[in-house]
Amino acid sequence: MKIAVIGGTGDQGLGLAMRYAKAGEDVVVGSRKAENAENAVTEIENLLNQSNMKNLEGLSNPEATVAADILILTVPLQAQKTTLDSIKEYVDGKIIIDATAPLSSNIGGSPTEFIEVWEGSAAERTFSLLKGKDVAVVSAYSNISSSSLMNHKEDIDCDCLVCGDDEEAKLKAKELINKLPGVNAIDCGPLSRSRITEKITPLLIGLNIKNKTHYAGIRITGLDKK
Ligand SMILES: NC(=O)c1ccc[n+]([C@@H]2O[C@H](COP(=O)([O-])OP(=O)(O)OC[C@H]3O[C@@H](n4cnc5c(N)ncnc54)[C@H](OP(=O)(O)O)[C@@H]3O)[C@@H](O)[C@H]2O)c1
């Protein structure tokens, strides 16, 4: 199973690509410019102190989409439509995991405030923008900080809230998420629940600012207690 991180040159995408490449998964970093994706691959190799990693390559976003089975979308909200438009014709039969948090900073405001999206959530907007395509949309990763991902010598101290309407796709996404060391994928139900989960991100950013850290995350407890 090949993973493409669409917009994988930014903080969140680079962190996810690095973690999965380190775990031995086949990873493609996607970018608007293939050259930038190749540079991101070199950056990951340098950070991991490895060279010519066979399971990691950098391609343009459309080429990365063609090459992969699972896509992880890691672009800011304002880039969501143009990015999806650029890969739309290649998404049939694939799973797309949307990591977007709709923050007020996407429109010039504060990252500690969320903005309402007409469709209900960023992930539902992805679903809407890909209407007519045979693609399963899952919402996840939006509560994991890029700092925790980039800090690859340590486990990640948080859980990952997962929402989606396609149970099979959600299962595959959860398997992938559970490969992040320290992370438990928590099934939060249908895609519409991402209206709640995406709003946790500006809360965590506010806690980071208040406590002068970059590692705030959440853990869900008590689910096994009978
Ligand atoms: N950073 C975090 O800690 C964090 C945590 C949780 C969730 N998230 C979510 O993850 C997503 C990515 O966050 P990030 O901090 O990694 O974002 P970012 O660094 O600002 O952007 C990621 C990539 O998106 C592409 N991009 C940026 N602006 C664009 C535009 N106007 N049009 C088209 N492409 C554009 C760029 O790739 P190319 O130039 O290579 O094409 C860029 O490297 C966001 O939706 C964010 O809410 C981030």
Side-chain angles (χ1 to χ4, degrees):
M1 189 175 62
K2 201 171 239 190
I3 307 155
V5 187
I6 305 300
T9 54
D11 292 344
Q12 192 72 348
L14 198 81
L16 285 166
M18 176 170 62
R19 287 284 185 168
Y20 283 125
K22 186 178 177 180
E25 298 296 318
D26 279 330
V27 179
V28 189
V29 175
S31 167
R32 282 170 291 184
K33 286 190 184 161
E35 189 190 343
N36 291 349
E38 284 159 17
N39 291 339
V41 164
T42 305
E43 192 179 342
I44 292 171
E45 287 175 339
N46 289 340
L47 287 163
L48 295 179
N49 210 10
Q50 294 192 47
S51 52
N52 299 318
M53 290 179 78
K54 297 273 176 289
N55 60 328
L56 182 63
E57 64 179 324
L59 296 170
S60 71
N61 285 328
E63 288 170 329
T65 303
V66 171
D69 312 289
I70 293 199
L71 317 172
I72 305 177
L73 182 68
T74 56
V75 297
L77 186 69
Q78 64 271 28
Q80 185 185 26
K81 184 175 185 309
T82 48
T83 305
L84 290 174
D85 282 349
S86 74
I87 63 170
K88 198 172 180 172
E89 65 182 287
Y90 311 111
V91 298
D92 279 329
K94 310 200 186 237
I95 297 168
I96 183 160
I97 309 179
D98 191 326
T100 316
L103 304 175
S104 188
S105 52
N106 295 124
I107 53 167
S110 165
T112 65
E113 296 167 0
F114 65 84
I115 47 170
E116 293 289 357
V117 177
W118 180 263
E119 292 80 359
S121 68
E124 287 174 291
R125 186 165 185 251
T126 286
F127 180 80
S128 170
L129 290 166
L130 295 177
K131 210 174 177 112
K133 308 305 288 185
D134 175 25
V135 62
V137 179
V138 175
S139 169
Y141 301 118
S142 64
N143 306 143
I144 303 181
S145 85
S146 60
S147 299
S148 296
L149 292 167
M150 291 299 283
N151 189 20
H152 69 93
K153 290 185 180 154
E154 289 182 23
D155 283 4
I156 300 165
D157 186 15
C158 69
D159 290 334
C160 181
L161 307 181
V162 189
C163 312
D165 296 329
D166 183 320
E167 294 302 325
E168 205 180 313
K170 199 160 50 173
L171 201 64
K172 284 188 181 153
K174 281 164 62 184
E175 276 171 21
L176 188 62
I177 290 159
N178 284 329
K179 288 180 180 169
L180 294 174
V183 177
N184 303 307
I186 308 285
D187 189 339
C188 293
L191 196 64
S192 58
R193 303 297 282 180
S194 58
R195 296 174 189 195
I196 301 171
T197 58
E198 290 178 4
K199 290 184 174 69
I200 294 169
T201 307
L203 175 72
L204 295 174
I205 293 171
L207 288 170
N208 276 334
I209 293 169
K210 187 165 185 268
N211 292 279
K212 298 186 172 53
T213 182
H214 300 281
Y215 297 95
I218 56 163
R219 285 277 188 210
I220 305 295
T221 62
L223 298 183
D224 295 330
K225 197 167 175 181
K226 302 293 175 225

